[in-house]
Amino acid sequence: MNHTLNMNFKTALALLMIGPAVLMADDWKNALQESLRGKYELTKTGLDRIRITKPGTVLVIQASGVSGDLATDMTFLNNKVIDGKVAQAGGFAAAMQDKKTSRIFKPGEKAYVFKIDVKKNAVEYFLISCDTFDVNLKGSTRQTRYKSLLTFEFPEGSLEGATVETIKKTVDAVIVPEDEAKAASTKTVELGQTQDQVKAALGSPDKIVNLGAKTIFVYKDMKVVFQDGKVSDVQ
């Protein structure tokens, strides 16, 4: 009897010691998860995932190959993202992603994020489409949204010391907040800018005209004039 009590006591003591250790091991994941969630306003939905009860940050799909399935489905199509590219599923997963009710999000389409989870070597973004779509179910056409899971995979052990900015840069290659996408697409040229600064904003010109101290970058819809290497006029 005493032997049994002694064993139970040791077991309970061991569990008490292991518990805090497990919690401490997960501290970095919890902290990173909260920091990432703080970068977005998470969307709230009804139980069927069709009704949006509180819209959050709008994300623009940047990459090709993101699969989604009906918002009302019990499961999620898992899109693994490796090195900024959406990996193509194989085997049973490929068959699942080829369901008649699934669809591929097009680059430029918009979605909300309603959940972000951090795993040991991955960060998961749960998305729901901003738009609703007609879908035919059992002969009846109804409006629905599509949901998707993006799993951003990282090398073993790299997430524990990663910064939110580093992770978000990886995520932004696939889904980026709409306001950031608009800001990035705004192309401006200012007086005094160098040729390299103009190329960074507008890309390489279609033609370059060299006139000694004056240089002209010819683009499809404008001409940028440089005097001694600096922007002096835009036509």
Side-chain angles (χ1 to χ4, degrees), residues 115-159:
K115 184 180 179 183
I116 300 174
D117 283 343
V118 174
K119 305 299 182 182
K120 183 180 178 182
N121 296 310
V123 179
E124 298 178 338
Y125 279 67
F126 293 79
L127 308 179
I128 191 84
S129 66
C130 290
D131 293 330
T132 57
F133 302 85
D134 288 333
V135 62
N136 190 291
L137 296 174
K138 298 179 180 179
S140 176
T141 300
R142 66 185 68 175
Q143 286 277 303
T144 189
R145 297 181 193 273
Y146 282 86
K147 64 182 181 181
S148 185
L149 168 58
L150 285 171
T151 300
F152 294 85
E153 297 189 347
F154 292 86
E156 181 79 25
S158 64
L159 272 183

mmCIF file of all heavy atoms in Angstrom, residues 115-159:
data_model
loop_
_atom_site.group_PDB
_atom_site.id
_atom_site.type_symbol
_atom_site.label_atom_id
_atom_site.label_comp_id
_atom_site.label_asym_id
_atom_site.label_seq_id
_atom_site.Cartn_x
_atom_site.Cartn_y
_atom_site.Cartn_z
ATOM 1 N N LYS A 115 -7.845 33.472 -38.420
ATOM 2 C CA LYS A 115 -7.098 32.733 -37.404
ATOM 3 C C LYS A 115 -5.644 32.607 -37.836
ATOM 4 O O LYS A 115 -5.361 32.398 -39.013
ATOM 5 C CB LYS A 115 -7.721 31.348 -37.191
ATOM 6 C CG LYS A 115 -7.091 30.526 -36.079
ATOM 7 C CD LYS A 115 -7.801 29.166 -35.970
ATOM 8 C CE LYS A 115 -7.199 28.294 -34.892
ATOM 9 N NZ LYS A 115 -7.846 26.950 -34.832
ATOM 10 N N ILE A 116 -4.729 32.739 -36.886
ATOM 11 C CA ILE A 116 -3.303 32.542 -37.139
ATOM 12 C C ILE A 116 -2.748 31.665 -36.025
ATOM 13 O O ILE A 116 -2.915 31.978 -34.847
ATOM 14 C CB ILE A 116 -2.523 33.878 -37.184
ATOM 15 C CG1 ILE A 116 -3.053 34.787 -38.304
ATOM 16 C CG2 ILE A 116 -1.028 33.621 -37.392
ATOM 17 C CD1 ILE A 116 -2.425 36.166 -38.312
ATOM 18 N N ASP A 117 -2.100 30.573 -36.397
ATOM 19 C CA ASP A 117 -1.502 29.665 -35.421
ATOM 20 C C ASP A 117 -0.019 29.485 -35.727
ATOM 21 O O ASP A 117 0.381 29.439 -36.895
ATOM 22 C CB ASP A 117 -2.181 28.287 -35.455
ATOM 23 C CG ASP A 117 -3.525 28.289 -34.745
ATOM 24 O OD1 ASP A 117 -3.795 29.231 -33.968
ATOM 25 O OD2 ASP A 117 -4.325 27.362 -34.985
ATOM 26 N N VAL A 118 0.776 29.380 -34.667
ATOM 27 C CA VAL A 118 2.210 29.112 -34.818
ATOM 28 C C VAL A 118 2.504 27.704 -34.326
ATOM 29 O O VAL A 118 2.156 27.345 -33.202
ATOM 30 C CB VAL A 118 3.054 30.132 -34.025
ATOM 31 C CG1 VAL A 118 4.535 29.750 -34.069
ATOM 32 C CG2 VAL A 118 2.868 31.536 -34.589
ATOM 33 N N LYS A 119 3.116 26.903 -35.193
ATOM 34 C CA LYS A 119 3.542 25.560 -34.847
ATOM 35 C C LYS A 119 5.065 25.561 -34.690
ATOM 36 O O LYS A 119 5.714 26.592 -34.796
ATOM 37 C CB LYS A 119 3.111 24.565 -35.923
ATOM 38 C CG LYS A 119 1.613 24.585 -36.228
ATOM 39 C CD LYS A 119 0.777 24.225 -35.009
ATOM 40 C CE LYS A 119 -0.707 24.194 -35.340
ATOM 41 N NZ LYS A 119 -1.546 23.904 -34.160
ATOM 42 N N LYS A 120 5.632 24.384 -34.452
ATOM 43 C CA LYS A 120 7.074 24.295 -34.232
ATOM 44 C C LYS A 120 7.864 24.789 -35.428
ATOM 45 O O LYS A 120 8.839 25.547 -35.284
ATOM 46 C CB LYS A 120 7.463 22.849 -33.908
ATOM 47 C CG LYS A 120 8.946 22.683 -33.584
ATOM 48 C CD LYS A 120 9.281 21.239 -33.272
ATOM 49 C CE LYS A 120 10.778 21.077 -32.987
ATOM 50 N NZ LYS A 120 11.148 19.667 -32.714
ATOM 51 N N ASN A 121 7.468 24.363 -36.618
ATOM 52 C CA ASN A 121 8.207 24.743 -37.823
ATOM 53 C C ASN A 121 7.304 25.315 -38.913
ATOM 54 O O ASN A 121 7.623 25.232 -40.101
ATOM 55 C CB ASN A 121 8.962 23.530 -38.393
ATOM 56 C CG ASN A 121 10.020 23.010 -37.443
ATOM 57 O OD1 ASN A 121 10.842 23.774 -36.930
ATOM 58 N ND2 ASN A 121 9.990 21.715 -37.177
ATOM 59 N N ALA A 122 6.170 25.871 -38.508
ATOM 60 C CA ALA A 122 5.229 26.410 -39.499
ATOM 61 C C ALA A 122 4.337 27.478 -38.877
ATOM 62 O O ALA A 122 4.127 27.506 -37.670
ATOM 63 C CB ALA A 122 4.373 25.290 -40.083
ATOM 64 N N VAL A 123 3.839 28.342 -39.741
ATOM 65 C CA VAL A 123 2.853 29.355 -39.333
ATOM 66 C C VAL A 123 1.632 29.155 -40.218
ATOM 67 O O VAL A 123 1.754 29.093 -41.449
ATOM 68 C CB VAL A 123 3.400 30.783 -39.500
ATOM 69 C CG1 VAL A 123 2.337 31.804 -39.094
ATOM 70 C CG2 VAL A 123 4.655 30.982 -38.655
ATOM 71 N N GLU A 124 0.457 29.046 -39.605
ATOM 72 C CA GLU A 124 -0.773 28.764 -40.332
ATOM 73 C C GLU A 124 -1.681 29.996 -40.390
ATOM 74 O O GLU A 124 -1.940 30.623 -39.360
ATOM 75 C CB GLU A 124 -1.531 27.616 -39.668
ATOM 76 C CG GLU A 124 -0.769 26.308 -39.663
ATOM 77 C CD GLU A 124 -1.522 25.203 -38.943
ATOM 78 O OE1 GLU A 124 -2.405 25.523 -38.110
ATOM 79 O OE2 GLU A 124 -1.232 24.019 -39.208
ATOM 80 N N TYR A 125 -2.147 30.321 -41.594
ATOM 81 C CA TYR A 125 -3.102 31.407 -41.811
ATOM 82 C C TYR A 125 -4.396 30.791 -42.334
ATOM 83 O O TYR A 125 -4.383 30.113 -43.361
ATOM 84 C CB TYR A 125 -2.564 32.414 -42.832
ATOM 85 C CG TYR A 125 -1.587 33.427 -42.270
ATOM 86 C CD1 TYR A 125 -0.336 33.032 -41.806
ATOM 87 C CD2 TYR A 125 -1.911 34.780 -42.199
ATOM 88 C CE1 TYR A 125 0.562 33.956 -41.288
ATOM 89 C CE2 TYR A 125 -1.018 35.714 -41.688
ATOM 90 C CZ TYR A 125 0.214 35.294 -41.241
ATOM 91 O OH TYR A 125 1.107 36.206 -40.713
ATOM 92 N N PHE A 126 -5.491 31.043 -41.624
ATOM 93 C CA PHE A 126 -6.804 30.546 -42.038
ATOM 94 C C PHE A 126 -7.550 31.690 -42.722
ATOM 95 O O PHE A 126 -7.786 32.741 -42.107
ATOM 96 C CB PHE A 126 -7.593 30.047 -40.833
ATOM 97 C CG PHE A 126 -7.004 28.813 -40.191
ATOM 98 C CD1 PHE A 126 -5.916 28.907 -39.334
ATOM 99 C CD2 PHE A 126 -7.546 27.560 -40.446
ATOM 100 C CE1 PHE A 126 -5.368 27.775 -38.745
ATOM 101 C CE2 PHE A 126 -7.011 26.419 -39.867
ATOM 102 C CZ PHE A 126 -5.915 26.522 -39.009
ATOM 103 N N LEU A 127 -7.918 31.486 -43.987
ATOM 104 C CA LEU A 127 -8.516 32.547 -44.797
ATOM 105 C C LEU A 127 -9.960 32.250 -45.139
ATOM 106 O O LEU A 127 -10.377 31.095 -45.207
ATOM 107 C CB LEU A 127 -7.736 32.725 -46.100
ATOM 108 C CG LEU A 127 -6.230 32.923 -46.019
ATOM 109 C CD1 LEU A 127 -5.661 33.060 -47.430
ATOM 110 C CD2 LEU A 127 -5.868 34.125 -45.173
ATOM 111 N N ILE A 128 -10.719 33.326 -45.395
ATOM 112 C CA ILE A 128 -12.089 33.221 -45.892
ATOM 113 C C ILE A 128 -12.250 34.277 -46.986
ATOM 114 O O ILE A 128 -11.784 35.408 -46.818
ATOM 115 C CB ILE A 128 -13.128 33.435 -44.766
ATOM 116 C CG1 ILE A 128 -14.528 33.064 -45.216
ATOM 117 C CG2 ILE A 128 -13.085 34.824 -44.216
ATOM 118 C CD1 ILE A 128 -14.834 31.611 -45.098
ATOM 119 N N SER A 129 -12.835 33.934 -48.099
ATOM 120 C CA SER A 129 -12.931 34.875 -49.218
ATOM 121 C C SER A 129 -13.793 36.078 -48.856
ATOM 122 O O SER A 129 -14.790 35.958 -48.142
ATOM 123 C CB SER A 129 -13.510 34.181 -50.451
ATOM 124 O OG SER A 129 -14.851 33.791 -50.227
ATOM 125 N N CYS A 130 -13.394 37.246 -49.344
ATOM 126 C CA CYS A 130 -14.204 38.450 -49.138
ATOM 127 C C CYS A 130 -15.484 38.372 -49.972
ATOM 128 O O CYS A 130 -16.550 38.775 -49.516
ATOM 129 C CB CYS A 130 -13.413 39.698 -49.528
ATOM 130 S SG CYS A 130 -12.051 40.092 -48.411
ATOM 131 N N ASP A 131 -15.364 37.855 -51.172
ATOM 132 C CA ASP A 131 -16.515 37.756 -52.073
ATOM 133 C C ASP A 131 -17.268 36.451 -51.847
ATOM 134 O O ASP A 131 -16.712 35.466 -51.351
ATOM 135 C CB ASP A 131 -16.062 37.827 -53.530
ATOM 136 C CG ASP A 131 -15.491 39.180 -53.892
ATOM 137 O OD1 ASP A 131 -15.922 40.185 -53.292
ATOM 138 O OD2 ASP A 131 -14.595 39.228 -54.761
ATOM 139 N N THR A 132 -18.527 36.457 -52.228
ATOM 140 C CA THR A 132 -19.317 35.226 -52.238
ATOM 141 C C THR A 132 -19.466 34.766 -53.685
ATOM 142 O O THR A 132 -19.367 35.561 -54.621
ATOM 143 C CB THR A 132 -20.705 35.438 -51.612
ATOM 144 O OG1 THR A 132 -21.390 36.479 -52.322
ATOM 145 C CG2 THR A 132 -20.594 35.814 -50.143
ATOM 146 N N PHE A 133 -19.694 33.465 -53.856
ATOM 147 C CA PHE A 133 -19.759 32.880 -55.190
ATOM 148 C C PHE A 133 -20.973 31.966 -55.290
ATOM 149 O O PHE A 133 -21.425 31.394 -54.287
ATOM 150 C CB PHE A 133 -18.485 32.069 -55.482
ATOM 151 C CG PHE A 133 -17.219 32.863 -55.393
ATOM 152 C CD1 PHE A 133 -16.577 33.050 -54.177
ATOM 153 C CD2 PHE A 133 -16.661 33.424 -56.530
ATOM 154 C CE1 PHE A 133 -15.407 33.782 -54.083
ATOM 155 C CE2 PHE A 133 -15.485 34.156 -56.460
ATOM 156 C CZ PHE A 133 -14.852 34.340 -55.229
ATOM 157 N N ASP A 134 -21.490 31.824 -56.509
ATOM 158 C CA ASP A 134 -22.576 30.879 -56.753
ATOM 159 C C ASP A 134 -22.011 29.466 -56.811
ATOM 160 O O ASP A 134 -20.996 29.219 -57.475
ATOM 161 C CB ASP A 134 -23.285 31.189 -58.080
ATOM 162 C CG ASP A 134 -24.139 32.437 -58.007
ATOM 163 O OD1 ASP A 134 -24.606 32.761 -56.898
ATOM 164 O OD2 ASP A 134 -24.330 33.091 -59.047
ATOM 165 N N VAL A 135 -22.639 28.550 -56.120
ATOM 166 C CA VAL A 135 -22.234 27.159 -56.172
ATOM 167 C C VAL A 135 -23.478 26.285 -56.257
ATOM 168 O O VAL A 135 -24.491 26.571 -55.623
ATOM 169 C CB VAL A 135 -21.382 26.775 -54.939
ATOM 170 C CG1 VAL A 135 -22.166 26.922 -53.656
ATOM 171 C CG2 VAL A 135 -20.833 25.357 -55.071
ATOM 172 N N ASN A 136 -23.404 25.251 -57.074
ATOM 173 C CA ASN A 136 -24.542 24.343 -57.257
ATOM 174 C C ASN A 136 -24.354 23.121 -56.376
ATOM 175 O O ASN A 136 -23.419 22.341 -56.555
ATOM 176 C CB ASN A 136 -24.655 23.919 -58.727
ATOM 177 C CG ASN A 136 -25.948 23.176 -58.995
ATOM 178 O OD1 ASN A 136 -26.127 22.057 -58.534
ATOM 179 N ND2 ASN A 136 -26.843 23.799 -59.758
ATOM 180 N N LEU A 137 -25.218 22.962 -55.406
ATOM 181 C CA LEU A 137 -25.182 21.837 -54.489
ATOM 182 C C LEU A 137 -26.485 21.060 -54.571
ATOM 183 O O LEU A 137 -27.551 21.593 -54.265
ATOM 184 C CB LEU A 137 -24.939 22.323 -53.058
ATOM 185 C CG LEU A 137 -23.590 23.016 -52.786
ATOM 186 C CD1 LEU A 137 -23.554 23.569 -51.371
ATOM 187 C CD2 LEU A 137 -22.437 22.048 -53.011
ATOM 188 N N LYS A 138 -26.381 19.818 -55.038
ATOM 189 C CA LYS A 138 -27.547 18.943 -55.148
ATOM 190 C C LYS A 138 -28.674 19.584 -55.948
ATOM 191 O O LYS A 138 -29.841 19.546 -55.567
ATOM 192 C CB LYS A 138 -28.039 18.550 -53.750
ATOM 193 C CG LYS A 138 -27.014 17.757 -52.956
ATOM 194 C CD LYS A 138 -27.533 17.398 -51.562
ATOM 195 C CE LYS A 138 -26.491 16.611 -50.779
ATOM 196 N NZ LYS A 138 -26.975 16.269 -49.416
ATOM 197 N N GLY A 139 -28.286 20.239 -57.047
ATOM 198 C CA GLY A 139 -29.266 20.830 -57.945
ATOM 199 C C GLY A 139 -29.769 22.198 -57.535
ATOM 200 O O GLY A 139 -30.592 22.789 -58.221
ATOM 201 N N SER A 140 -29.263 22.721 -56.412
ATOM 202 C CA SER A 140 -29.697 24.037 -55.933
ATOM 203 C C SER A 140 -28.517 24.999 -55.926
ATOM 204 O O SER A 140 -27.435 24.667 -55.438
ATOM 205 C CB SER A 140 -30.279 23.909 -54.520
ATOM 206 O OG SER A 140 -30.624 25.185 -54.007
ATOM 207 N N THR A 141 -28.722 26.190 -56.500
ATOM 208 C CA THR A 141 -27.666 27.195 -56.539
ATOM 209 C C THR A 141 -27.778 28.104 -55.318
ATOM 210 O O THR A 141 -28.851 28.623 -55.013
ATOM 211 C CB THR A 141 -27.759 28.043 -57.817
ATOM 212 O OG1 THR A 141 -27.632 27.190 -58.963
ATOM 213 C CG2 THR A 141 -26.666 29.104 -57.856
ATOM 214 N N ARG A 142 -26.658 28.282 -54.650
ATOM 215 C CA ARG A 142 -26.651 29.146 -53.458
ATOM 216 C C ARG A 142 -25.352 29.942 -53.400
ATOM 217 O O ARG A 142 -24.381 29.618 -54.070
ATOM 218 C CB ARG A 142 -26.818 28.316 -52.193
ATOM 219 C CG ARG A 142 -25.655 27.368 -51.905
ATOM 220 C CD ARG A 142 -25.913 26.490 -50.704
ATOM 221 N NE ARG A 142 -26.980 25.547 -50.978
ATOM 222 C CZ ARG A 142 -27.342 24.596 -50.114
ATOM 223 N NH1 ARG A 142 -26.732 24.506 -48.943
ATOM 224 N NH2 ARG A 142 -28.295 23.747 -50.433
ATOM 225 N N GLN A 143 -25.363 30.988 -52.610
ATOM 226 C CA GLN A 143 -24.188 31.827 -52.425
ATOM 227 C C GLN A 143 -23.325 31.265 -51.289
ATOM 228 O O GLN A 143 -23.840 30.863 -50.247
ATOM 229 C CB GLN A 143 -24.605 33.256 -52.076
ATOM 230 C CG GLN A 143 -25.161 34.058 -53.246
ATOM 231 C CD GLN A 143 -24.062 34.666 -54.091
ATOM 232 O OE1 GLN A 143 -23.230 35.412 -53.598
ATOM 233 N NE2 GLN A 143 -24.049 34.349 -55.377
ATOM 234 N N THR A 144 -22.034 31.233 -51.513
ATOM 235 C CA THR A 144 -21.135 30.755 -50.467
ATOM 236 C C THR A 144 -19.810 31.487 -50.532
ATOM 237 O O THR A 144 -19.513 32.169 -51.518
ATOM 238 C CB THR A 144 -20.886 29.237 -50.595
ATOM 239 O OG1 THR A 144 -20.175 28.780 -49.446
ATOM 240 C CG2 THR A 144 -20.075 28.923 -51.841
ATOM 241 N N ARG A 145 -19.030 31.347 -49.489
ATOM 242 C CA ARG A 145 -17.655 31.824 -49.490
ATOM 243 C C ARG A 145 -16.744 30.602 -49.560
ATOM 244 O O ARG A 145 -17.172 29.476 -49.357
ATOM 245 C CB ARG A 145 -17.345 32.636 -48.209
ATOM 246 C CG ARG A 145 -18.162 33.899 -48.068
ATOM 247 C CD ARG A 145 -17.777 34.662 -46.798
ATOM 248 N NE ARG A 145 -18.766 35.684 -46.513
ATOM 249 C CZ ARG A 145 -18.751 36.917 -47.008
ATOM 250 N NH1 ARG A 145 -17.760 37.275 -47.804
ATOM 251 N NH2 ARG A 145 -19.691 37.779 -46.705
ATOM 252 N N TYR A 146 -15.464 30.862 -49.846
ATOM 253 C CA TYR A 146 -14.479 29.788 -49.848
ATOM 254 C C TYR A 146 -13.441 30.061 -48.764
ATOM 255 O O TYR A 146 -13.055 31.204 -48.529
ATOM 256 C CB TYR A 146 -13.804 29.677 -51.217
ATOM 257 C CG TYR A 146 -14.673 28.986 -52.237
ATOM 258 C CD1 TYR A 146 -15.609 29.701 -52.979
ATOM 259 C CD2 TYR A 146 -14.580 27.613 -52.438
ATOM 260 C CE1 TYR A 146 -16.425 29.069 -53.904
ATOM 261 C CE2 TYR A 146 -15.390 26.973 -53.369
ATOM 262 C CZ TYR A 146 -16.307 27.702 -54.098
ATOM 263 O OH TYR A 146 -17.119 27.075 -55.006
ATOM 264 N N LYS A 147 -13.019 29.012 -48.112
ATOM 265 C CA LYS A 147 -12.016 29.136 -47.057
ATOM 266 C C LYS A 147 -10.769 28.366 -47.471
ATOM 267 O O LYS A 147 -10.812 27.469 -48.326
ATOM 268 C CB LYS A 147 -12.548 28.597 -45.738
ATOM 269 C CG LYS A 147 -12.862 27.107 -45.753
ATOM 270 C CD LYS A 147 -13.430 26.645 -44.432
ATOM 271 C CE LYS A 147 -13.703 25.134 -44.460
ATOM 272 N NZ LYS A 147 -14.283 24.645 -43.199
ATOM 273 N N SER A 148 -9.648 28.710 -46.856
ATOM 274 C CA SER A 148 -8.398 28.060 -47.213
ATOM 275 C C SER A 148 -7.427 28.140 -46.044
ATOM 276 O O SER A 148 -7.497 29.065 -45.220
ATOM 277 C CB SER A 148 -7.783 28.735 -48.442
ATOM 278 O OG SER A 148 -6.632 28.054 -48.871
ATOM 279 N N LEU A 149 -6.533 27.182 -45.988
ATOM 280 C CA LEU A 149 -5.476 27.165 -44.979
ATOM 281 C C LEU A 149 -4.133 27.262 -45.686
ATOM 282 O O LEU A 149 -3.811 26.450 -46.555
ATOM 283 C CB LEU A 149 -5.545 25.868 -44.158
ATOM 284 C CG LEU A 149 -4.340 25.558 -43.256
ATOM 285 C CD1 LEU A 149 -4.105 26.672 -42.254
ATOM 286 C CD2 LEU A 149 -4.543 24.222 -42.553
ATOM 287 N N LEU A 150 -3.363 28.284 -45.325
ATOM 288 C CA LEU A 150 -2.012 28.445 -45.844
ATOM 289 C C LEU A 150 -1.030 28.075 -44.733
ATOM 290 O O LEU A 150 -1.029 28.700 -43.672
ATOM 291 C CB LEU A 150 -1.764 29.890 -46.292
ATOM 292 C CG LEU A 150 -2.419 30.337 -47.605
ATOM 293 C CD1 LEU A 150 -2.246 31.835 -47.778
ATOM 294 C CD2 LEU A 150 -1.821 29.595 -48.792
ATOM 295 N N THR A 151 -0.212 27.073 -44.978
ATOM 296 C CA THR A 151 0.783 26.651 -44.006
ATOM 297 C C THR A 151 2.168 27.034 -44.511
ATOM 298 O O THR A 151 2.694 26.436 -45.449
ATOM 299 C CB THR A 151 0.723 25.125 -43.770
ATOM 300 O OG1 THR A 151 -0.578 24.785 -43.286
ATOM 301 C CG2 THR A 151 1.752 24.699 -42.739
ATOM 302 N N PHE A 152 2.746 28.063 -43.903
ATOM 303 C CA PHE A 152 4.077 28.538 -44.288
ATOM 304 C C PHE A 152 5.109 27.715 -43.524
ATOM 305 O O PHE A 152 5.217 27.819 -42.302
ATOM 306 C CB PHE A 152 4.230 30.025 -43.978
ATOM 307 C CG PHE A 152 3.344 30.913 -44.801
ATOM 308 C CD1 PHE A 152 2.035 31.169 -44.404
ATOM 309 C CD2 PHE A 152 3.802 31.477 -45.982
ATOM 310 C CE1 PHE A 152 1.198 31.985 -45.169
ATOM 311 C CE2 PHE A 152 2.981 32.287 -46.750
ATOM 312 C CZ PHE A 152 1.676 32.532 -46.345
ATOM 313 N N GLU A 153 5.858 26.897 -44.242
ATOM 314 C CA GLU A 153 6.826 26.018 -43.605
ATOM 315 C C GLU A 153 8.202 26.679 -43.541
ATOM 316 O O GLU A 153 8.633 27.341 -44.485
ATOM 317 C CB GLU A 153 6.911 24.689 -44.352
ATOM 318 C CG GLU A 153 5.588 23.919 -44.331
ATOM 319 C CD GLU A 153 5.722 22.510 -44.874
ATOM 320 O OE1 GLU A 153 6.766 22.205 -45.495
ATOM 321 O OE2 GLU A 153 4.783 21.712 -44.658
ATOM 322 N N PHE A 154 8.883 26.492 -42.396
ATOM 323 C CA PHE A 154 10.195 27.075 -42.170
ATOM 324 C C PHE A 154 11.186 25.983 -41.785
ATOM 325 O O PHE A 154 10.786 24.930 -41.282
ATOM 326 C CB PHE A 154 10.115 28.128 -41.056
ATOM 327 C CG PHE A 154 9.322 29.350 -41.431
ATOM 328 C CD1 PHE A 154 7.934 29.367 -41.272
ATOM 329 C CD2 PHE A 154 9.943 30.472 -41.941
ATOM 330 C CE1 PHE A 154 7.193 30.488 -41.615
ATOM 331 C CE2 PHE A 154 9.209 31.600 -42.289
ATOM 332 C CZ PHE A 154 7.827 31.612 -42.132
ATOM 333 N N PRO A 155 12.478 26.217 -42.009
ATOM 334 C CA PRO A 155 13.487 25.206 -41.654
ATOM 335 C C PRO A 155 13.435 24.867 -40.164
ATOM 336 O O PRO A 155 13.070 25.693 -39.326
ATOM 337 C CB PRO A 155 14.810 25.892 -42.028
ATOM 338 C CG PRO A 155 14.434 26.884 -43.082
ATOM 339 C CD PRO A 155 13.076 27.382 -42.692
ATOM 340 N N GLU A 156 13.814 23.655 -39.856
ATOM 341 C CA GLU A 156 13.827 23.157 -38.479
ATOM 342 C C GLU A 156 14.538 24.123 -37.531
ATOM 343 O O GLU A 156 15.685 24.512 -37.747
ATOM 344 C CB GLU A 156 14.535 21.795 -38.443
ATOM 345 C CG GLU A 156 14.605 21.155 -37.078
ATOM 346 C CD GLU A 156 13.298 20.490 -36.685
ATOM 347 O OE1 GLU A 156 12.531 20.113 -37.597
ATOM 348 O OE2 GLU A 156 13.051 20.340 -35.476
ATOM 349 N N GLY A 157 13.826 24.539 -36.482
ATOM 350 C CA GLY A 157 14.415 25.372 -35.440
ATOM 351 C C GLY A 157 14.542 26.850 -35.752
ATOM 352 O O GLY A 157 14.974 27.629 -34.903
ATOM 353 N N SER A 158 14.161 27.277 -36.974
ATOM 354 C CA SER A 158 14.374 28.680 -37.349
ATOM 355 C C SER A 158 13.306 29.619 -36.803
ATOM 356 O O SER A 158 13.548 30.821 -36.652
ATOM 357 C CB SER A 158 14.436 28.813 -38.875
ATOM 358 O OG SER A 158 13.199 28.447 -39.467
ATOM 359 N N LEU A 159 12.131 29.108 -36.503
ATOM 360 C CA LEU A 159 11.043 29.981 -36.056
ATOM 361 C C LEU A 159 11.263 30.521 -34.650
ATOM 362 O O LEU A 159 10.827 31.632 -34.335
ATOM 363 C CB LEU A 159 9.702 29.243 -36.101
ATOM 364 C CG LEU A 159 8.924 29.282 -37.412
ATOM 365 C CD1 LEU A 159 7.597 28.563 -37.260
ATOM 366 C CD2 LEU A 159 8.694 30.715 -37.871
#
